[in-house]
Amino acid sequence: MIKRVICVLIALTVLLSVLPLTTGAAGDSQISPAFLNYLQARFPNGKYWNHDPAQPNDPNGWTDKPCTHHGTGVCDPAKGTCGCNTFDNCIQCMGFAAKLAYDCTGTLLHTWKKVYSLDELKAGDVVRINNDGHSVFVTSVKGDEVVYADCNIASDCQIRWNTKTTRKALQERLTYVQVAPVNTAAPNQPALTCKENYKFGETVELSWIPLPNADEYRISISLNGAYLRTVTVTDRYAYSFTPDQFGMFTFEMTAKNRYGDSAPAACETLVDPHECQIKQFTDVKNFLDWSHAGIEYAVVHGLFKGTSETTFSPDATMTRAMIATVLWRMEDCPETVIENPYTDVAEDTWYTEAVLWAYENGVMDGMGNGRFAPDGVLTREQIVTVLYRFSDAAAEGLSDPAMLEGFADANEVADWSKDAVCWAIARQVIQGSTVGEAQYLTPNGGATRAQVATILMRFLETIAAR
């Protein structure tokens, strides 16, 4: 008796192990809800699975206009010349069913076996009906009810989803069934994506392309390396998360079915602790980067503008004309009364008034021989010298030569800029950079827009505000 029970249990175990992924009650099956939603979004109900005849075939596309292929005699299933999309060398209803079948299984329809009974019909099968006149793609089988998708039922390539029929009605019109291969393996690795940066209070949007053989997606959420919670998603391929804290959030997703788990996929996103005013600039790093605060300050206070509506160009080199213009704006753009002493500064450029103002007020000198070099690269020692003069620090004797001690490249600081550089170090207008164990000033290095923005922020907050 005991042996007989054990044999029965073993038989049940083997039977359960080969049931399809989507099986529920006996004979019932359905396409994964998330993947079905994905397919329906790619091929919207009521649209038309075709293309402009003047354009190439696009089996992933659709249009808003019905086909006019019937009666033209120009349909070529290999080229789709009539405007019908084609897939696996099939057009219209068969091509559409073949495309859905391929997206679900990764195999081409013409390689599937054919049967002539609905006894084992399951989701994912393609059914040919009406004496070889029409094809449908089965999305759900529940008891006697069959749900399918198709196109071209009215000879215009229109897409339909969620059409319901019965096994009996389908059997009466049956030509054959092309049987979908059953994927019983664990899911592949999903590709989880999210933006890199969000401002506090904004909803984090995660998305992924669903896997055909996944029943659910489990998303583990961590903040700054500490686990918070896990959520499970079954019917969507997106997840919205509204954080109530700020910091680095990590999302790790695992797809699952009854045969196992996928390899995890992960993405990270940083939630800013403030209402970021420069979020429109896609090339500005998040608030943890050294340059973020300076760039934001410069933009908010009108010192700098973006180089386009969506870019700031933080790594672009600052020019002499640019810094003259920034300081001129800080002084509310005063008019000048002197004659232009520079041969390389035209009378009608965007920086002309600023350059003349800088010369008139002793903020910037020319480069000799009647030249200002407006497009010349602004170096780090030049920018602090300009600010040193602009703040009248030279008249106050505020420089301390001892500030250069400890910097490996202190000997590269020019004599004409030493007072200004020492002043800037003492008042933390500039800071050195660490390479290995040494500190460097890089006085002759070209100052970038991000560096100058940061220097101006420190200058205005710590010195000019006094």
Side-chain angles (χ1 to χ4, degrees), residues 69-134:
H69 53 261
H70 280 270
T72 64
V74 295
C75 267
D76 183 341
K79 299 179 181 178
T81 50
C82 61
C84 297
N85 279 333
T86 178
F87 185 80
D88 199 13
N89 208 39
C90 299
I91 58 174
Q92 300 163 26
C93 61
M94 179 62 85
F96 185 65
K99 174 58 179 168
L100 298 182
Y102 179 81
D103 286 349
C104 282
T105 66
T107 60
L108 296 174
L109 186 63
H110 69 259
T111 66
W112 297 9
K113 70 176 182 178
K114 293 181 180 180
V115 300
Y116 300 89
S117 167
L118 295 177
D119 291 346
E120 298 182 6
L121 184 69
K122 67 180 182 305
D125 290 347
V126 172
V127 181
R128 188 73 170 168
I129 56 176
N130 296 352
N131 294 319
D132 244 5
H134 193 60

Side-chain angles (χ1 to χ4, degrees), residues 380 402-413 421 425 428 430-443 458:
R380 286 166 58 83
M403 289 296 104
L404 289 177
E405 296 177 2
F407 290 98
D409 56 352
N411 62 326
E412 296 180 16
V413 178
V421 172
I425 296 170
Q428 298 185 337
I430 61 171
Q431 299 173 356
S433 57
T434 302
V435 180
E437 297 182 356
Q439 285 285 105
Y440 291 85
L441 284 170
T442 321
R458 293 171 183 163

Side-chain angles (χ1 to χ4, degrees), residues 195-205 241-247 249 269-280 286-287 292 296:
K195 291 198 304 184
E196 293 183 356
N197 198 17
Y198 289 83
K199 62 184 179 182
F200 188 68
E202 187 177 5
T203 298
V204 175
E205 301 289 349
F241 172 74
T242 303
D244 55 6
Q245 302 176 68
F246 63 86
F249 285 86
T269 186
L270 191 66
V271 178
D272 292 356
H274 68 299
E275 287 290 326
C276 184
Q277 302 298 307
I278 54 172
K279 195 170 177 60
Q280 72 271 26
N286 63 59
F287 75 97
H292 187 95
E296 185 171 31

